[in-house]
Amino acid sequence: MPGNRSTALIRSLCQRPGGVPALPRPWVAAWMRQLDFAKRSLLYFPHRRGNLQNHRSSRQGFTLVELSIVLVVIGLLIGGVLIGQSLIESARINAQIRQFQQFEVLIMNFKSKFKYLPGDSPMFTPAGNASGLVRGCWSGCGPSGESQGWNFNAEIAAFWKHVSDAGFVEENYIFTANDGRPGINVPIAAYNEKPDTGVYAANPNDDISTYLNVCSHPSASDLMCADSASHNAFSAMTTLAIDKKLDDGRPRAGAVTVMTGPWNNMGGGPGCVTGNSNSDNATYDITSSNKNACNLRLRLNKN
């Protein structure tokens, strides 16, 4: 029996050659008692042998309960991330809406105080031509080319400098023709998903309404707010959310519209609208994943 061999081995440790004890007898006696107890346990409870042998193998996998708990935790983490992203997007949309509303109020206050729109006012430097329009040329804006007035020049470039000089904003915007940099020449858009996205003001072509336009202006050589991937600043879903809160939720109608460059062309880029982009019945393409699909503009007033 293995137990007898173990007992004989322990007893042999008790003596050296010549009968000299090798280990203290109390130690040996304690080991003997432990061996006797182990043997009796295996004799009277044989099922423990299987438990001892299968203990290692029983812990090699997860139970269904453990796997279920892990899956639930993973699901909660994913759900939390998605909810967090949705809350961040909602906060940014609301920030853009508040910025629009604040700018609309301060621009109307400027006009009420100085009788002219910023940029068009002759009371600030560089002086506007007091035509009632905010254009990209000082005079003689014609029907085509740069003389249409949608370059970042003249009154368009002076717009936010007039607002700044009048003390209506804390920022100090400067006049630089043909280079409308967000944070330097114009305000940075509150949504600001894309770098170099600013808020520009102008009367496009022969339109008598003044618009705030949100678009990206990556370089001085680009036309301002032209329809391209380098200028479009919003996805269709984001533009729709802003449009619905400020207006009617239609890309071609109302005070909030999308556009292609030059200024007066409506519609937006690929993935912005569906249907006829020049129709009042056009809708936003909410299936599009293009984050740079739309330019957005808000009509401030009708003179």
Side-chain angles (χ1 to χ4, degrees):
M1 294 289 291
N4 294 334
R5 289 197 297 269
S6 299
T7 303
L9 175 62
I10 293 175
R11 285 174 177 169
S12 68
L13 294 174
C14 297
Q15 292 182 344
R16 292 178 180 173
V20 180
L23 296 173
R25 290 189 177 278
W27 293 8
V28 176
W31 291 348
M32 295 293 294
R33 287 195 296 271
Q34 292 294 332
L35 276 176
D36 291 340
F37 176 77
K39 286 191 293 184
R40 287 195 300 270
S41 296
L42 292 176
L43 287 173
Y44 291 103
F45 304 100
H47 64 278
R48 290 188 178 180
R49 299 178 185 177
N51 287 347
L52 291 173
Q53 294 172 354
N54 297 329
H55 177 71
R56 182 182 299 273
S57 61
S58 67
R59 301 304 301 169
Q60 289 180 351
F62 293 102
T63 66
L64 290 177
V65 174
E66 290 171 333
L67 289 174
S68 299
I69 293 173
V70 170
L71 292 176
V72 169
V73 171
I74 293 173
L76 291 174
L77 291 174
I78 294 174
V81 170
L82 294 177
I83 292 173
Q85 291 176 339
S86 177
L87 291 174
I88 292 172
E89 175 69 6
S90 179
R92 295 172 68 183
I93 289 172
N94 289 332
Q96 186 60 64
I97 291 171
R98 286 194 301 271
Q99 187 184 53
F100 271 143
Q101 294 169 335
Q102 291 166 359
F103 286 169
E104 186 173 17
V105 170
L106 73 84
I107 290 167
M108 292 302 101
N109 287 341
F110 183 102
K111 184 178 180 182
S112 176
K113 182 175 182 179
F114 300 109
K115 309 305 179 185
Y116 298 97
L117 288 167
D120 187 49
S121 174
M123 302 174 63
F124 296 88
T125 303
N129 61 17
S131 67
L133 303 174
V134 180
R135 308 299 297 276
C137 53
W138 297 117
S139 62
C141 295
S144 63
E146 293 185 6
S147 59
Q148 282 184 313
W150 42 265
N151 269 1
F152 190 82
N153 203 344
E155 293 178 339
I156 293 176
F159 186 94
W160 288 106
K161 183 179 185 300
H162 285 193
V163 173
S164 180
D165 290 348
F168 280 80
V169 293
E170 295 180 357
E171 294 79 5
N172 183 30
Y173 299 113
I174 64 175
F175 174 87
T176 307
N178 297 316
D179 191 12
R181 293 291 180 176
I184 299 174
N185 308 106
V186 302
I188 297 172
Y191 184 80
N192 201 29
E193 164 72 19
K194 190 177 180 181
D196 296 325
T197 301
V199 182
Y200 302 82
N203 287 82
N205 295 345
D206 295 325
D207 198 326
I208 62 173
S209 297
T210 304
Y211 291 85
L212 287 180
N213 308 268
V214 179
C215 60
S216 179
H217 186 66
S219 70
S221 62
D222 288 334
L223 296 175
M224 181 178 59
C225 293
D227 174 50
S228 67
S230 62
H231 290 86
N232 295 339
F234 298 101
S235 68
M237 283 292 293
T238 298
T239 311
L240 173 61
I242 295 173
D243 195 343
K244 289 177 67 175
K245 289 190 177 183
L246 288 174
D247 195 32
D248 57 7
R250 295 186 295 168
R252 180 62 176 85
V256 176
T257 52
V258 296
M259 63 180 186
T260 62
W263 290 84
N264 63 333
N265 294 335
M266 296 292 185
C272 184
V273 298
T274 58
N276 184 354
S277 61
N278 288 318
S279 169
D280 288 353
N281 295 323
T283 59
Y284 289 100
D285 185 2
I286 60 175
T287 64
S288 173
S289 60
N290 185 0
K291 291 185 176 181
N292 302 319
C294 302
N295 276 336
L296 175 65
R297 68 179 189 175
L298 170 68
R299 186 177 68 232
L300 294 177
N301 65 306
K302 290 183 178 181
N303 297 349

